[in-house]
Amino acid sequence: MSEIVKPVGRGRWLQLAFGVVCMCMIANMQYGWTFFVNPMQERHGWDRAAIQVAFTLFVVTETWLVPIEGWFVDKYGPRIVTLFGGLLCAVAWVINSYADSLTVLYIAAAIGGTGAGAVYGTCVGNSLKWFPDRRGLAAGITAMGFGAGSALTVVPIQAMIKSQGYEAAFFYFGIGQGVIVMLIALFLRAPAKGQVPVIARVSQSKRDYKPSEMVRTPIFWVMYAMFVMMAAGGLMATAQLGPIAKDFKIADVPVSLLGITLPALTFAATLDRVLNGVTRPFFGWVSDHIGRENTMFLSFAIEGLGIYALSQFGHNPIAFVLLTGLVFFAWGEIYSLFPATCGDTFGSKYAATNAGLLYTAKGTAALIVPYTSVLTTMTGSWHAVFLAAAALNIIAALLALFVLKPMRAAYTKKPEASLAPVLAQ
């Protein structure tokens, strides 16, 4: 373990808080989407799979453009990129409120994805730079804002959709969320030299690797494949939670837990978002102590088992609420573990760009989501989709322990070790 250097100031925690607020504001862009699917289908008669193409476009643009946005962050700082992202997020949902064709819906999705990716990539990359000593925890807290940020708005959004229509919910929440992001963006900044501690509680690279170097390593592509496997199942649950509950015929069935009674879908959506947020700093903190790969194996295995159990017992309203909570709890940590592992492996200087390149795996996984509706239509149930998602999670768990861990250990065991032998392959 290298010597701990006390940071010059404690402003990094304030920077982390600013990032969390921004992440909370863009959370509905992804996690609130499921509430709009059925109302749009009922209003316009659009096919459900066609509507979910918009979700895929959102996630693809949210992720695949992050490396470019990350390059701007690394070069010009986080403020301008976040301002730009907040504006696009507001514009996208306003367009959604007026969309009367799938084409317009798809255009709005692309605009929203670009904006959300700018905010997401900036905030995660900035946290990795400010907290090289606690990357797992910092990335987890930041990602928690995105995972749990929509929890408080589940009931208000559903209430507005029922009382004023989904168009009004898109319009007012879009403007509100975008304006807040733009205001917070004015206070974001990157750390100056000497403002952060130097520590190595987990295996870390001793130098910074450029994106062009990183993408030439087998380690990066192993992490990328694992990220795709893990993201696919969670994105399916995120986008299809409402349709799944409707097909299971339990969406409006009252569920009472912990003295609270809510319709099954509302209860599940609220609990899922809380647990999806809590898991990110929790498993990030765990990984800071027991290692990234060990934590991946544990959480990925739980995710696989949870998805399989949901396929078997999800028709029960109480089981649906509890098991979807478990699924989201064991899934959300990928957004802290993978960025932290990327920072440990490839350094801090290009953290926003490098983490952004790895984050594109989420966009790749999103391409699978529309096919879940197609597969469900072909088979007549969600069973095949659940089995495939569970299998991918178990494979990713095994890869973490038996492939990624020894690969990283091979060149981080010694202080002077580098990626040079790997780059030469």
Side-chain angles (χ1 to χ4, degrees), residues 22-102:
C22 288
M23 296 286 264
C24 287
M25 291 301 102
I26 66 169
N28 279 324
M29 303 287 289
Q30 176 174 314
Y31 294 102
W33 174 259
T34 191
F35 302 121
F36 295 92
V37 175
N38 290 333
M40 283 191 288
Q41 183 183 32
E42 294 168 0
R43 177 69 57 85
H44 299 285
W46 298 331
D47 182 71
R48 185 186 294 174
I51 294 174
Q52 292 296 22
V53 169
F55 180 83
T56 298
L57 286 172
F58 166 80
V59 177
V60 167
T61 51
E62 182 215 3
T63 54
W64 285 359
L65 295 179
V66 169
I68 299 174
E69 295 153 350
W71 180 85
F72 278 98
V73 173
D74 288 335
K75 189 171 181 63
Y76 299 108
R79 187 173 303 159
I80 185 66
V81 180
T82 307
L83 274 169
F84 175 72
L87 175 62
L88 291 186
C89 287
V91 169
W93 268 31
V94 170
I95 293 176
N96 278 340
S97 69
Y98 290 101
D100 56 2
S101 71
L102 287 171

Side-chain angles (χ1 to χ4, degrees), residues 328-398:
F328 274 84
F329 179 74
W331 176 66
E333 85 293 327
I334 65 176
Y335 299 108
S336 57
L337 296 184
F338 281 110
T341 306
C342 185
D344 292 341
T345 308
F346 303 109
S348 298
K349 185 176 181 179
Y350 305 100
T353 307
N354 289 341
L357 281 167
L358 182 59
Y359 187 61
T360 62
K362 178 182 175 184
T364 303
L367 296 175
I368 302 173
V369 173
Y371 293 101
T372 61
S373 295
V374 176
L375 182 58
T376 301
T377 302
M378 291 174 59
T379 61
S381 74
W382 290 94
H383 188 65
V385 173
F386 285 131
L387 287 181
L392 289 175
N393 281 269
I394 297 300
I395 293 172
L398 296 174

